[in-house]
């Protein structure tokens, strides 16, 4: 166990809460101490929900640990059933409750409630949130459909003549990254192909909807972190094939359409890219050519990180200089992708390690989670969020999918605009002291002289600079002359940090105490050889 200011994932019972909060008619009873109810804020504050998640806590206190907490568990379960009338009841434990071993699942099953009661075995000290969501969804589907499995050797009935193929969209979940809009976009895309969406789960589904899952012709695993285990079980038990391509980006969307066509028996060769797909042309247009070769560092959940690397490399012409994930269950996929781009994979849930690798890679753009947004801000690098965990601003009121053709448009805007704004800020900074453009100058159409209320600047004071995490103690012994600081600002923002470090290293090695403009250019010539 580790004390930290930030965690990419909570314990597995948070994943169970996300599944329950995604569905209708499902309620989770969580055996937890007083104080573990903080997680409600994840849904009401961050996701902007208009109601509390369907979770009831036993909320035992310290003084009750020496008594019979089992009775507290049973009383809570009974009152939950009486008050909310759920169709399915999930029973789980928080980290602390796991230690006292009350076995709330067994207690609930022995109460004889007239609804399915599914105990969740979620090891709090060896697994994390995404695994908990995946396991909860799997146990829920398996628990409801276990008795409906076909007999061994029984084949699936053929699709009725004239009926369009039907697919289940599996994996969208509460607190997921843009899941609401992705479902809308993929439903529109499938309709264009000639496929109907049968059930979306867990997001918006009810237990009755889960019972209808086997009626579909195939499953689409939109979010493997939530649904890959469920898809494998449905394929094994009911013979439903799974479409595994995640349509993030233009190339992946085309691959997705082709795979759906193969699985559904539809000829998709004649399906053209819609007129509203602007990303291919925008990425080739004149105002985007300067983006070619920009260095990008990518970190997030495995699905979005791997897909982002492909989009960045193949569709925007970026150079991937870092790729990683906090999801250890999908480390193999990330390692394979990192090998393809010739970078060392980063598999960690330590944000300090991520920050060190970002600083070391000197990227010009960071694509990551909410934490990478903070890391990039500290390092002065543009950033775009591509993956959960996220904060409230990444649950927008507008339509902003990540998947499909419209999702590709959103990706272009989200990734490219920070770079364009960075270029604009660099130009403003570079010309700020120019005699025509500085703050004390009169607009040219008003003639010469000083504007009323403005005092001409006669001196330029050096602005304090943040120390880069990669700088050593020796570098801090040097000082920058004001004119050298101003010259440094003329260097583009995305390499300014490297130029500063190299110059200070050059000065330290030669015993130079004050860095002048001459020192800056001498260092440039030295490291350019």
């Amino acid at each position: 166990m580790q004390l930290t200011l930030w965690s990419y994932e909570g314990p597995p019972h948070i994943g169970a809460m996300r599944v329950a909060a995604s569905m209708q008619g499902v309620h989770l009873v969580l055996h937890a101490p007083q104080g573990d109810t903080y997680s409600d804020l994840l849904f009401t504050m961050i996701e902007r929900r208009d109601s509390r998640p369907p979770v009831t806590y036993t909320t035992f206190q310290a003084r009750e640990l020496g008594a019979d907490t089992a009775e507290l568990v049973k009383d809570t379960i009974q009152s939950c059933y009486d008050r909310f009338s759920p169709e399915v009841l999930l029973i789980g434990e928080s980290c602390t409750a796991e230690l006292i071993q009350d076995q709330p699942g067994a207690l609930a099953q022995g109460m004889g409630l007239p609804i399915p009661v599914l105990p969740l075995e979620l090891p709090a000290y060896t697994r994390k949130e995404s695994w908990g969501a995946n396991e909860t969804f799997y146990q829920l589907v398996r628990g409801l459909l276990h008795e409906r499995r076909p007999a061994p050797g029984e084949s699936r009935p053929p699709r009725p003549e004239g009926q369009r193929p039907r697919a289940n969209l599996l994996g969208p979940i509460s607190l997921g990254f843009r899941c609401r809009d992705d479902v809308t976009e993929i439903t529109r895309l499938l309709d264009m192909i000639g496929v109907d969406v049968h059930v979306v789960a867990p997001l918006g589904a009810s237990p009755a909807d889960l019972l209808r899952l086997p009626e579909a012709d195939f499953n689409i695993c939109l979010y493997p972190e939530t649904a890959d285990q469920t898809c494998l079980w449905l394929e094994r038990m009911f013979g439903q094939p799974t479409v595994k391509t995640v349509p993030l980006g233009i190339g992946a969307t085309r691959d997705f359409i082709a795979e759906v066509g193969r699985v559904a028996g539809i000829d998709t060769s004649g399906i053209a890219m819609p007129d509203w797909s602007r990303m291919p042309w925008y990425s080739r247009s004149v105002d985007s050519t300067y983006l070619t070769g920009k260095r990008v560092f990518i970190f997030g959940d495995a699905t979005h990180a791997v897909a982002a690397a492909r989009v960045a490399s193949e569709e925007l012409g970026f150079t991937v200089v870092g790729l990683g994930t906090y999801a250890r269950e999908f480390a193999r996929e990330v390692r394979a992708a990192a090998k393809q781009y010739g970078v060392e994979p980063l598999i960690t849930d330590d944000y300090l390690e991520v920050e060190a690798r970002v600083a070391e890679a000197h990227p010009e753009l960071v694509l990551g989670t909410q934490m990478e947004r903070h890391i990039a801000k500290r390092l002065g690098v543009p950033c775009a969020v591509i993956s959960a965990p996220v904060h409230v601003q990444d649950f927008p009121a507008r339509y902003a999918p990540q998947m499909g053709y419209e999702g590709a448009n959103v990706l272009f805007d989200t990734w490219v605009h920070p770079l364009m704004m960075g270029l604009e800020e660099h130009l403003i900074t570079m010309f700020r002291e120019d005699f025509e453009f500085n703050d004390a100058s009169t607009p040219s159409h008003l003639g010469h002289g000083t504007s009323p209320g403005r005092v001409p600047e006669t001196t330029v004071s050096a602005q304090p600079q943040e120390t880069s995490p990669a700088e050593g103690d020796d570098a801090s012994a040097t000082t920058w002359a004001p004119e050298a600081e101003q010259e440094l600002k003329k260097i583009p923002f995305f390499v300014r940090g490297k130029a500063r470090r190299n110059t200070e290293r050059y000065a330290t090695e030669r015993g130079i105490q004050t860095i002048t403009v001459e020192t800056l250019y001498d260092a440039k010539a030295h490291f350019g050889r």
Side-chain angles (χ1 to χ4, degrees), residues 3-23:
L3 182 64
T4 181
L5 295 173
W6 167 269
S7 176
Y8 287 98
E9 297 184 275
H13 71 263
I14 301 296
M17 290 180 63
R18 292 174 61 188
V19 173
S22 302
M23 300 185 64

Side-chain angles (χ1 to χ4, degrees), residues 151-469:
E154 182 179 341
S155 59
R156 288 180 58 84
R159 185 168 65 244
E161 188 71 25
Q163 178 179 292
R164 299 211 315 177
R166 295 179 295 177
N168 297 319
L169 300 184
L170 302 183
I173 189 173
S174 183
L175 288 177
F177 190 63
R178 307 291 172 84
C179 290
R180 175 200 66 193
D181 296 343
D182 283 345
V183 168
T184 301
E185 183 64 20
I186 297 307
T187 300
R188 176 167 67 161
L189 183 62
L190 290 173
D191 182 65
M192 186 173 69
I193 300 172
V195 174
D196 293 329
V197 172
H198 186 56
V199 172
V200 177
L203 190 65
S206 66
D209 291 327
L210 298 187
L211 292 175
R212 297 191 297 116
L213 286 175
E215 299 171 5
D217 298 291
F218 60 97
N219 297 309
I220 296 175
C221 189
L222 278 186
Y223 302 94
E225 283 83 358
T226 305
D228 67 339
Q229 193 175 189
T230 300
C231 289
L232 287 172
W233 187 80
L234 290 170
E235 186 168 356
R236 191 168 64 250
M237 294 294 108
F238 295 93
Q240 291 176 301
T242 301
V243 172
K244 298 179 180 179
T245 302
V246 180
L248 280 160
I250 294 294
T253 298
R254 289 170 175 161
D255 294 344
F256 172 80
I257 292 173
E259 186 177 1
V260 169
R262 290 194 300 271
V263 171
I266 298 175
D267 182 11
T268 59
S269 59
I271 296 178
M273 188 181 303
D275 295 337
W276 36 265
S277 177
R278 303 177 185 90
M279 196 252 211
W281 163 241
Y282 276 31
S283 64
R284 297 192 304 269
S285 61
V286 174
D287 66 343
S288 297
T289 54
Y290 79 94
L291 299 172
T292 303
K294 288 291 179 285
R295 298 164 60 83
V296 59
F297 191 101
I298 303 169
F299 191 87
D301 69 47
T303 297
H304 286 90
V306 171
R310 177 179 178 182
V311 174
S313 176
E314 298 179 8
E315 299 175 24
L316 292 176
F318 293 164
T319 300
V320 177
V321 297
L323 179 61
T325 184
Y326 56 82
R328 297 185 184 276
E329 293 85 1
F330 293 87
R332 180 178 301 175
E333 290 83 348
V334 174
R335 287 193 176 100
K339 183 178 180 180
Q340 177 182 346
Y341 301 110
V343 297
E344 183 69 24
L346 178 60
I347 314 298
T348 183
D349 57 2
D350 183 352
Y351 74 96
L352 294 175
E353 185 177 354
V354 176
E355 181 170 4
R357 288 286 289 272
V358 172
E360 179 185 336
H362 303 299
E364 297 155 72
L365 176 67
V366 175
L367 303 176
T369 71
Q370 176 71 11
M371 175 47 69
E372 281 64 55
R373 174 183 285 163
H374 293 299
I375 290 172
K377 183 177 181 180
R378 282 195 293 273
L379 297 177
V381 181
C383 177
V385 174
I386 62 164
S387 161
V390 295
H391 207 356
V392 63
Q393 63 265 47
D394 287 301
F395 290 94
R398 71 186 187 281
Y399 182 63
Q402 300 289 286
M403 296 184 181
Y405 290 119
E406 183 60 30
N409 293 339
V410 174
L411 292 182
F412 180 88
D413 290 344
T414 306
W415 300 6
V416 171
H417 289 174
L419 288 172
M420 290 182 170
M421 181 59 71
L423 180 64
E424 180 178 301
E425 289 176 353
H426 166 62
L427 292 174
I428 291 173
T429 301
M430 185 170 70
F431 289 107
R432 178 167 290 154
E433 305 308 326
D434 188 278
F435 74 96
E436 285 190 294
F437 296 103
N438 71 73
D439 292 340
S441 296
T442 303
S444 58
H445 65 284
L446 298 179
H448 300 289
T450 302
S451 299
R454 285 188 174 181
V455 178
E457 295 182 10
T458 56
T459 60
V460 178
S461 61
Q463 298 296 319
Q465 299 292 324
E466 293 185 2
T467 302
S468 168

Side-chain angles (χ1 to χ4, degrees), residues 64-87:
E64 295 171 313
L65 293 179
D68 187 5
T69 52
E71 284 303 317
L72 176 64
V73 171
K74 291 193 287 187
D75 290 344
T76 303
I77 292 172
Q78 186 63 54
S79 63
C80 170
Y81 173 75
D82 295 338
R83 179 181 178 185
F84 298 106
S85 302
E87 299 171 44

Side-chain angles (χ1 to χ4, degrees), residues 8-167:
Y8 287 98
E9 297 184 275
H13 71 263
I14 301 296
M17 290 180 63
R18 292 174 61 188
V19 173
S22 302
M23 300 185 64
Q24 306 294 324
V26 175
H27 203 96
L28 170 65
V29 174
L30 192 66
H31 191 30
Q34 188 177 30
D36 270 3
T37 58
Y38 68 91
S39 46
D40 281 12
L41 293 175
L42 296 173
F43 303 91
T44 55
M45 183 185 75
I46 295 179
E47 200 178 31
R48 305 175 190 264
R49 287 175 64 100
D50 58 0
S51 60
R52 288 186 61 250
V55 181
T56 297
Y57 305 89
T58 59
T59 55
F60 59 84
Q61 300 180 47
R63 64 174 179 267
E64 295 171 313
L65 293 179
D68 187 5
T69 52
E71 284 303 317
L72 176 64
V73 171
K74 291 193 287 187
D75 290 344
T76 303
I77 292 172
Q78 186 63 54
S79 63
C80 170
Y81 173 75
D82 295 338
R83 179 181 178 185
F84 298 106
S85 302
E87 299 171 44
V88 173
L89 200 58
L90 302 175
I91 311 295
E93 300 172 283
S94 73
C95 310
T96 308
E98 183 180 324
L99 297 175
I100 62 178
Q101 299 183 346
D102 275 333
Q103 304 296 322
L107 292 172
Q109 287 182 317
M111 292 177 62
L113 296 177
I115 59 171
V117 176
L118 301 176
L120 301 174
E121 297 292 336
L122 305 175
Y125 296 96
T126 57
R127 298 289 188 171
K128 293 201 172 182
E129 180 180 329
S130 295
W131 183 90
N134 196 312
E135 179 70 11
T136 299
F137 185 46
Y138 165 67
Q139 292 293 347
L140 191 53
V141 171
R142 181 181 177 182
L144 293 177
L145 291 175
H146 183 74
E147 300 300 328
R148 301 194 177 204
R149 294 175 300 168
E154 182 179 341
S155 59
R156 288 180 58 84
R159 185 168 65 244
E161 188 71 25
Q163 178 179 292
R164 299 211 315 177
R166 295 179 295 177

